[in-house]
């Protein structure tokens, strides 16, 4: 049973919408769709020395996706491209059963998603889009 | 005589294995009826062989079973002849067959009329044909309820129109297309008509002769038959006019290194070993379905759909994606609840054993038309009952309690 | 350890139902193994649902089973990743997919190399491509035994060659193609390589990495799996370079009325609802096959084939269509007996419960090469035994007694 | 059991090869293939007043096909196009269970073929090709 998929803490995280919004002059913007559900995440970043100084996201997606984006908003600043890529993999690993990476303990909120493989993409999408936005910024330079 | 869902349910082994399942995703896939299951099993265990080539007894039995399935399909569709029945891999394969074989005869500027309500499988093949041959696609708009806007047919069917390819019934709104004006308008300009019957066939026998179409496509798995098989019905002269699509064994007359001649329909369009056991299963399913009391069954499912619509209508802010009444429509009910994502709704419903689908339902243009990103869809079969509907409604109250 | 045909036979329910059947038409269709039968049954009766779209439990189970089947196929083929496995309707569908998707990138004057030993399914799609795009087909000739004449590769693979599409093993002569020089010659001019593996996969796991091909096609029904399903394996970068072939649900990224983007492989090539139960059955069959003692099994079938060849060799006037020894070949034995038509032979053999096939075997160019109109073919699987061979030989003596 | 599919009388009929050969100057020639087996029948006719005056056939086919062609050679002269078409249908009917048409009693030799639907084409092919050859002659005129 996935009784606790929508536990209160996850709903709160989604509702908080950390980092939701738009940046006036981002260094990079990435847009990613989920082919499964038609969900869409837009992520904008401003970089400093290759690291995220500011970010903003706009999510048309489910609660899992919104909660994940909010988590990115909470802890995503300071990452560089490499770390963002590694983070995506760590999130995937967490969904597959591993412990959350250091500094991202809230990822444990997504543990009930584990048996629902079709929903893993919803959680991953904001993380992947963050990485894409950083890459995009490097191209702009 | 009131129809007993429980009696129908007995013919579907999976449902017996899941007594607490409320399966309401029948538009995606129907459950396999025992007639189909038994026919496939019997074939595989007693006369499995390749067809149309062997001269030994097992092969003769396989041939008879395969050709018998063709006759069963022809009968269900009221086709003039079983030679009008082509077995394919599914609706998508059937439509692609026409898009290629009929499409070969089109040139830049020729027009194909679709509607905004089409499933991707009746959309993308034509976009790809546009890429290949420069045909023009015209997209018939919809009424606010999501029905084809037939009042505007005249604006969209021009003398350049060569094919009208529209859905017999929508997989999202459940709306049944009023085909009389569509076929008349197509005939008036000499265009052929292809109907996407993927959602229609499972609600009772179809009369292709009465519909007046040239081509009719559907899938086995949605008609309580096996996956991996579908049908393209084509009027004899329409099929005869088509070149082959896929090349391979069985569809040829004679193969030379330089020149090759092709077999007559339907074999011309059945390259390679066909889905033999699956066709036999589909034939058995349709043969069984043909004998069912459809007036009663359809009244039953319409009642359930109305019960669902009435129950949903009181939910604050809910939008129906499609008509709100049951006139000229199938028991498919799609809706959007602003602020709650369809997948979250489905997930909560799943905890209660209610299986419905959320997403774009392979109909993104229709979703765009309704200004939604996705929708929740409950699709009802005769084995469903009041308990299924009530579980869904109860689940929706839980969704609203928990997710807003 | 001598291999026991009787033990293998137990895994094939049809054979148990026909204890006196001598089934020697395995190259046309193999009998269904119980692993495949059980997997299909289990799927249909416990977690039938459409795949890749649903979020309820049944759909999740269906998804897992379907994707697990992809992994099982990948493992059998030693593919680098399961994303390299595309489920299709069969070998013919797989080859047509490449002929269209890869063919789209070819232009007049580009060359495709085939051989004279190809099955119609690896012949006609290329002839049709020639019609569409003006490519040139080059046909590699054969040695007198019917093997690809590799000594002449240099004359036939030119710098204009873009694709080499040849059989891994012939369905008539049983000859296994020596792929090392073929792949090397293709690589030397930058051509891709497609192998028709329809006859090869059922004789033990294939190592696509070692073969060095770009594409590999085969059918479920010949590999003791269900009909209605097949595979196109493609090297990741080869698949990624291909545009889609069929359009429909599941293969898209996003569909707009004007513009559509496509999914990544393998889904890009799986338009519409795939053959779900059939893929699951095929996965189970290959998973079971992978664990079989192939060295012993192949020694067993080779012994039977040799016994058959030796027994036939004494018949006056008989010509083997293919090699007379068992080196580098499969246990497929085809022959012609001048003055007696293959179908008459098959018919008489059938009276004795011997199921073999007569005709052109969808290889008319090869028949022309051998100067025969047709041939009788016995094709052996590990469940066959000495009694099957002896029944065939005894039947041939009867044929000669009665029909000459 | 189809024990008597190859009864002696049928073998003899095939061996007799009535009408086998070539005509020096036919009015019409037709060639028909069986897609199932790759068999091929060539039929040549000379007409007089629209009726077959002489015929000859060349068969690459099985015993059933050769016996059927031989039967055409035996009784086929005198037919016009319409009668030849009707004959093909009568042969198909005989294979489906009807009695042979008047004058064609030897067709009963093919009764054991009835259960073998895949072989019906072998028997029909020479009759159909005869009809095609007559049609062909009319075109030549
Ligand atoms: C060598 C070869 N290629 C291709 C095919 C075609 O396979 P299918 O009919 O399953 O598509 C066959 C089988 O008939 C074959 O033997
Ligand atoms: C209206 C409609 N058309 C086409 C299809 C495609 O059918 P399939 O996926 O079986 O090819 C579907 C089902 O998804 C459908 O609902």
């Amino acid at each position: 049973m996935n009784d606790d998929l929508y536990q209160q803490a996850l709903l709160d995280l989604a509702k908080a919408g950390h980092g939701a919004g738009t940046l006036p002059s981002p260094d990079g913007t990435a847009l990613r769709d989920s082919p499964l559900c038609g969900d869409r995440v837009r992520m904008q970043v401003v970089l400093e020395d290759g690291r995220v100084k500011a970010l903003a996201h706009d999510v048309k997606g489910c609660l899992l996706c919104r909660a994940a984006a909010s988590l990115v908003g909470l802890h995503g600043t300071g990452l560089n491209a490499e770390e963002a890529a590694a983070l995506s993999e760590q999130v995937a690993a967490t969904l597959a059963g591993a412990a959350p990476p250091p500094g991202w303990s809230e990822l444990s909120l997504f543990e009930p998603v584990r048996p629902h493989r079709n929903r893993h993409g919803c959680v991953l999408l904001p993380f992947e889009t963050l990485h894409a936005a950083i890459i995009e910024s490097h191209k702009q330079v | 005589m009131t129809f007993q869902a429980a009696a129908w349910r007995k013919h579907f082994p999976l449902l017996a294995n899941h007594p607490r399942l409320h399966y309401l995703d029948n538009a995606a896939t129907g459950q396999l009826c025992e007639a189909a299951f038994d026919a496939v099993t019997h074939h595989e265990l007693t006369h499995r062989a390749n067809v149309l080539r062997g001269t030994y007894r097992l092969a003769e039995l396989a041939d008879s079973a395969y050709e018998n399935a063709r006759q069963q399909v022809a009968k269900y569709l009221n086709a003039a002849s079983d030679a009008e029945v082509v077995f394919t891999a599914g609706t998508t394969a059937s439509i692609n067959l026409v898009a290629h074989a009929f499409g070969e005869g089109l040139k830049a500027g020729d027009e194909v009329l679709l509607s905004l309500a089409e499933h991707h499988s009746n959309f993308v093949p034509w976009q790809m044909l546009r890429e290949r041959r420069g045909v023009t696609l015209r997209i018939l708009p919809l009424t606010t309820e999501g029905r084809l806007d037939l009042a505007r047919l005249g604006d969209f069917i021009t003398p350049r129109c060569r094919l009208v390819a529209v859905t017999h019934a929508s997989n999202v709104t459940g709306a049944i297309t009023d085909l009389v004006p569509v076929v008349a308008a197509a005939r008036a300009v000499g265009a052929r008509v292809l109907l996407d019957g993927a959602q229609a066939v499972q609600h009772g026998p179809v009369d292709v002769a009465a519909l007046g179409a040239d081509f009719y496509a559907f899938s086995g798995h949605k008609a309580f038959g096996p996956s991996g098989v579908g049908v393209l019905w084509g009027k004899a002269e329409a099929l005869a006019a088509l070149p082959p699509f896929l090349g391979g064994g069985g569809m040829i007359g004679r193969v030379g290194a330089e020149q090759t001649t092709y077999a007559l329909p339907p074999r011309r369009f059945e390259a390679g070993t066909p889905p033999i056991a699956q066709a036999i299963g589909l034939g058995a399913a349709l043969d069984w379905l043909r004998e069912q009391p459809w007036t009663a069954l359809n009244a039953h499912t319409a009642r359930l759909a109305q019960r669902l619509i009435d129950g949903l209508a009181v939910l604050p802010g809910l939008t129906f994606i499609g008509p709100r009444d049951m006139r000229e429509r199938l028991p498919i009910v799609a809706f959007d609840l602003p602020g709650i994502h369809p997948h979250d709704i489905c997930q909560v419903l799943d905890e209660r054993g209610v299986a419905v689908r959320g997403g774009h339902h392979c109909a993104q243009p229709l979703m765009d038309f309704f200004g939604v990103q996705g929708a929740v869809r409950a699709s009802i079969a005769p084995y469903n009952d009041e308990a299924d509907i009530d579980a869904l409604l109860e689940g929706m109250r839980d969704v609203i309690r928990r997710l807003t």
Side-chain angles (χ1 to χ4, degrees), chain A:
Chain A
M1 295 297 281
N2 49 18
D3 275 341
D4 45 4
L5 197 56
Y6 297 107
Q7 53 196 297
Q8 195 56 45
L10 184 121
L11 300 184
D12 291 343
L13 179 60
K15 203 167 285 175
H18 303 293
T22 341
L23 293 180
S25 48
D27 293 330
T29 299
L31 197 66
R32 282 288 181 279
D33 292 326
S34 155
L36 170 66
C37 41
D39 284 358
R40 170 166 278 191
V41 172
R42 193 192 60 202
M43 191 71 71
Q44 300 181 311
V45 293
V46 170
L47 299 193
E48 197 172 71
D49 296 336
R51 294 187 175 275
V52 175
K53 188 181 162 199
L55 67 81
H57 55 75
D58 181 44
V59 176
K60 294 210 191 330
C62 63
L63 275 166
L64 301 180
C65 190
R66 283 162 51 211
S70 182
L71 195 54
V72 168
L74 204 56
H75 300 312
T77 48
L79 296 175
N80 65 18
E82 215 171 294
E83 288 159 0
L87 178 61
S88 283
E89 287 183 16
Q90 285 164 330
V91 174
T94 304
L95 289 171
W104 293 84
S105 61
E106 294 91 340
L107 275 173
S108 62
L109 289 175
F110 295 104
E111 277 167 14
V113 183
R114 283 177 185 166
H116 304 287
R117 282 179 49 194
N118 279 344
R119 308 296 304 273
H120 289 191
C122 311
V123 180
L124 278 166
L125 198 58
F127 293 92
E128 292 170 348
T129 315
L130 173 67
H131 177 231
I134 301 174
I135 297 288
E136 207 48 49
S137 316
H138 289 307
K139 283 195 200 146
Q140 306 300 314
V141 178

Side-chain angles (χ1 to χ4, degrees), chain B residues 202-374:
Chain B
Q202 58 272 47
H203 297 282
V206 169
D207 187 339
V208 288
L211 291 177
D214 297 288
F215 302 108
Y216 196 90
F218 69 94
S219 297
H221 69 98
K222 293 189 202 275
F224 312 113
S227 55
V229 67
V231 166
L232 176 69
W233 167 83
K235 212 183 268 180
E237 52 93 17
L239 285 183
L242 295 190
F245 168 36
L246 303 181
M251 50 68 76
I252 53 96
R254 190 165 208 101
V255 174
E258 287 311 314
Q259 227 202 327
T260 291
T261 61
Y262 301 116
L264 296 175
R267 290 297 290 169
R268 184 188 299 165
F269 307 106
E270 295 181 351
T273 302
I276 302 169
Q278 294 69 39
I280 291 169
L282 177 56
L286 296 185
D287 215 43
W288 177 71
L289 287 178
R290 200 168 45 78
E291 309 248 289
Q292 298 302 305
W294 283 105
T295 310
L297 296 186
N298 287 333
H300 166 72
T301 55
R303 250 188 331 265
L304 294 182
Q306 192 62 57
R307 184 186 186 97
L308 177 57
I309 289 173
D310 293 345
L312 289 171
V314 304
L315 300 186
L318 183 136
T319 320
F320 286 103
I321 307 298
R324 273 185 73 146
D325 60 51
M326 285 307 298
R327 272 171 298 161
E328 302 301 316
R329 72 196 285 299
L330 300 175
I332 296 176
V333 179
F335 58 91
D336 178 47
L337 203 55
I340 312 189
H341 191 279
H343 282 165
D344 294 324
I345 294 177
C346 293
Q347 198 83 52
V348 171
L349 292 175
D350 179 48
E351 291 173 25
R352 302 168 156 266
V354 178
V356 295
R357 186 151 296 229
H360 55 55
H361 306 288
C362 293
Q364 284 182 337
L366 181 68
M367 294 293 133
D368 293 346
F369 170 79
F370 276 104
V372 297
Q373 227 193 311

Side-chain angles (χ1 to χ4, degrees), chain B residues 27 90-93 95 119 121 167 169 171 196 198-199 219 221-222:
Chain B
T91 308
T92 303
I95 295 174
H119 187 279
S121 288
T167 196
N171 65 312
D196 174 354
Q199 291 300 335
S219 297
H221 69 98
K222 293 189 202 275

Side-chain angles (χ1 to χ4, degrees), chain B residues 17 74 77 150 175 204 209 298 362 390:
Chain B
N17 289 338
L77 298 177
L150 301 177
N298 287 333
C362 293
D390 296 348

Side-chain angles (χ1 to χ4, degrees), chain B residues 14 98 148 170 199 256 316 346 393 398:
Chain B
L14 179 136
V98 177
L148 272 59
S170 160
Q199 291 300 335
C346 293
L393 290 170
D398 190 28

Side-chain angles (χ1 to χ4, degrees), chain B residues 70-197:
Chain B
R70 212 189 283 286
Q71 285 166 17
Q72 290 169 321
V73 174
K75 217 160 167 187
Y76 192 79
L77 298 177
N78 193 28
S81 147
D82 58 335
E84 298 185 334
V85 173
V86 178
F87 284 116
T88 69
T91 308
T92 303
S94 296
I95 295 174
N96 277 276
L97 193 169
V98 177
H100 278 263
F102 185 79
E104 282 299 280
L106 302 189
K107 51 188 185 310
D110 283 345
E111 296 179 2
V112 175
L113 181 80
L114 312 174
S115 89
L116 207 57
E118 300 312 313
H119 187 279
H120 292 167
S121 288
N122 196 27
F123 215 102
V124 182
W126 308 110
Q127 291 182 317
M128 292 170 84
L129 175 64
R130 176 172 62 187
E131 291 291 307
R132 286 198 306 281
R133 307 199 65 85
V135 302
T136 301
L137 301 187
R138 294 193 158 253
I139 317 287
L140 189 68
L142 305 178
T143 67
T144 47
E145 272 197 323
R147 291 181 181 280
L148 272 59
D149 192 349
L150 301 177
R152 305 198 51 194
L153 262 180
D155 305 341
F156 284 81
I157 295 199
T158 80
R160 295 298 307 263
C161 183
R162 299 290 308 279
L163 180 76
V164 174
V166 295
T167 196
H168 190 180
S170 160
N171 65 312
V172 178
T173 66
I176 298 170
T177 308
D178 178 5
L179 291 169
V180 176
V182 175
V183 172
R187 291 287 169 254
V189 297
R192 295 231 183 244
V193 177
L194 163 72
L195 298 180
D196 174 354

